[in-house]
Amino acid sequence: MSTILGFDFGEVRIGVSMGSTELGIAHPLETIAFEENDKKFARIEALIKEWQPSALVVGLPAHLNGEEHEMSRLARKFANRLKGRFGLAVSLVDERLSSAGATQALNEIGLRGRKQKPALDQVAAMQILQSYFDGVGVITE
């Protein structure tokens, strides 16, 4: 059994999720919300030391038609930095509609509006990682 960490990359906040390959179920973990990249990567390093993942998964945003945009480029850059810095395999997963799905999931449990903000990014990361476990939207290059 090995652990996988999932990331919903954003310039301001990064949602983080975790799951085991044995169960194939993702769980929200936390939202990293530092302005400085050094602090973001220090927190990611601490999570990697704590959870000892065998691989990482990063959501790749795109327009609904699949065309990539500026955030796609930044998410790819983030994934490459993770791979280079931590030496772990990094997979990309199509994350179109993950934030909308996270909002819907939080609405269903009664968390609405501003109350969603602290959990939204980590729930989106959970959906990205779950897609990876389900083999949906995994991007091979």
Side-chain angles (χ1 to χ4, degrees):
M1 176 176 88
S2 63
T3 299
I4 310 278
L5 292 181
F7 297 91
D8 178 34
F9 172 78
E11 291 180 284
V12 176
R13 292 181 312 277
I14 300 171
V16 186
S17 62
M18 62 80 58
S20 72
T21 55
E22 182 178 65
L23 297 175
I25 298 172
H27 304 279
L29 192 56
E30 73 176 69
T31 299
I32 299 170
F34 297 112
E35 288 190 29
E36 302 87 9
N37 273 337
D38 289 343
K39 288 184 178 180
K40 289 176 187 174
F41 278 94
R43 183 61 194 140
I44 291 168
E45 182 175 4
L47 289 170
I48 287 173
K49 285 180 179 176
E50 178 181 353
W51 292 99
Q52 298 290 306
S54 60
L56 308 173
V57 174
V58 175
L60 182 67
H63 292 292
L64 287 177
N65 67 1
E67 187 176 315
E68 293 192 9
H69 48 74
E70 179 61 13
M71 282 306 294
S72 311
R73 185 187 71 76
L74 293 174
R76 284 182 184 277
K77 182 178 177 182
F78 175 71
N80 287 334
R81 287 183 75 184
L82 289 174
K83 185 176 183 177
R85 185 172 277 200
F86 302 112
L88 294 168
V90 178
S91 296
L92 295 170
V93 172
D94 181 345
E95 72 160 41
R96 284 178 283 175
L97 304 177
S98 66
S99 291
T103 298
Q104 181 180 345
L106 291 170
N107 281 337
E108 288 174 6
I109 64 166
L111 218 60
R112 291 185 169 74
R114 292 182 194 183
K115 292 180 181 178
Q116 287 186 354
K117 190 172 185 175
L120 188 61
D121 296 299
Q122 57 193 277
V123 172
M126 177 190 77
Q127 292 189 332
I128 290 164
L129 184 54
Q130 192 61 54
S131 292
Y132 172 82
F133 286 142
D134 296 344
V136 177
V138 178
I139 299 165
T140 56
E141 300 185 357

